[in-house]
Amino acid sequence: SFMVVNASGRASGQKAHLYMPTLKENDTHCIDFLYSLSSRDGASPGTLNVYIKVNGGAQGNPVWNASDTVTEGWVKAELAISTFWPNSYQVIFEAVSVQGHPGFIAIDDIRVLAHPCRKAPHFLRLQNVEVNVGQNASFQCTAGGKWSQHDKLWLQQWNGKDTALMVTRVVNHRRFSATVSVGDTSQRSTSRHRCVIRSDGGSGVSNYADLIVKAPPTPIAPPELLAVGATYLWIKPNANSIIGDGPIILKEVEYRTTTGNWAETHVVDAPTYKLWHLDPDVEYEIKVLLSRPGEGGTGPPGPPLITRTKCAAAVCGLLWFVSTPSVFTSLFELTSTALFGSPI
């Protein structure tokens, strides 16, 4: 009814594994077991690790271990695992030997109990977190049970990378929460994380939750020019084809003269937009900005539309006469001939 590993005569790092059957629990439960590290000389014969593998994924890093000293007989440890149906998980026990330290590593009496653990804190459901590229991201690990300053809490990534906690706050005498920041949000990605706590009584493990890093949207094409006047430009933003992620919650048009260093931004709430009060015969640069939900959700401007307003009628007529003096002279000669019989 138990497993024992004889560590005597083993090289350092040799391993033995015991795999529990895959479990799909549908309610709060607890797994407890007895373990023993024994030797004749009082030195630890090695390490006992426990892994929790979810949905047949990576084994990752241990969620619990014992290695420092030998035990006096059998010691009980608990695993509060917050992975529920339809997700499955598997508990893996691992014994690792140390060369020159003869002794035994043993486990006994593994039980799945239909109630919360008595000592190991039990995590509430961990929620997914979504942020935009470059923004701060953190998970809120909330657990039922008593928090001790000696407890160790960390965030464990699907690939095994561990991140230490940032802030722990006691909510009440039966619940506490911890904020754990995630380091790299520099590019668009999706990664899986879970909360782990190690207490005197054992370990608690949350479900895996996704960290989703989204890229703010940018239009692929420049705005489309629909109509041109002397003091207006009518455009279509062309915001349907984008680089990055939606949903798009805000469209803006940014415009300026190509020779100026000022810029104005207008919110667009229709399929087309008319820029008013422009100067005649001036070249403008027009770009579209798009935003998705969340802080930092506004993407860089899309490709520019460069176009010129029409010339105003009065100004254009005056410029035409000024720029064509020969025509003006001919008209004057015709008029003087009609009045005086000969050109003046």
Side-chain angles (χ1 to χ4, degrees), residues 321-344:
F321 275 110
V322 171
S323 62
T324 53
S326 60
V327 175
F328 180 79
T329 303
S330 299
L331 289 173
F332 180 78
E333 289 177 349
L334 288 173
T335 304
S336 62
T337 300
L339 292 175
F340 305 107
S342 63
I344 297 175

Side-chain angles (χ1 to χ4, degrees), residues 215-221 241-245 288 290 299-303:
T218 301
I220 294 176
S241 297
I242 64 171
I243 300 171
D245 297 299
V288 174
L290 304 176

Side-chain angles (χ1 to χ4, degrees), residues 59-71:
Q59 180 172 292
N61 290 339
V63 300
W64 180 92
N65 59 66
S67 63
D68 293 339
T69 59
V70 296
T71 62

